[in-house]
Amino acid sequence: MLSAAVICLALNIYHEARGEPIEGQRAVASVTLNRTLDPRWPSTVCGVVYDPQQFSWTSHPRLSLNPKPSLSH
């Protein structure tokens, strides 16, 4: 089973860079993962992705076709 972190990262890459070449997709992944190491952002991938006003697709609920994954697993 995929972890919530993997799902959140994949969703973020898809929604933020789906039309970009692989370098752009890697950049989104890098930004997301690097933020987990910075105290200004949440320490989890899902926390970073769903932090208010950080990524366009999570800032506009009507644009998000995928609800926030359950973190209970």
Side-chain angles (χ1 to χ4, degrees):
M1 178 181 273
L2 293 175
S3 72
V6 171
I7 293 169
C8 287
L9 184 60
L11 287 171
N12 203 37
I13 293 166
Y14 173 78
H15 287 291
E16 288 293 314
R18 66 178 164 244
E20 299 295 323
I22 193 70
E23 293 84 10
Q25 295 174 24
R26 285 185 184 138
V28 170
S30 180
V31 166
T32 306
L33 295 173
N34 285 338
R35 286 183 180 183
T36 66
L37 304 174
D38 188 314
R40 294 175 291 175
W41 282 279
S43 62
T44 66
V45 172
C46 291
V48 167
V49 169
Y50 289 98
D51 197 35
Q53 306 300 312
Q54 296 305 307
F55 295 99
S56 61
W57 73 278
T58 59
S59 296
H60 300 88
R62 64 182 177 79
L63 297 178
S64 177
L65 301 176
N66 299 295
K68 185 175 180 179
S70 171
L71 301 179
S72 62
H73 293 273

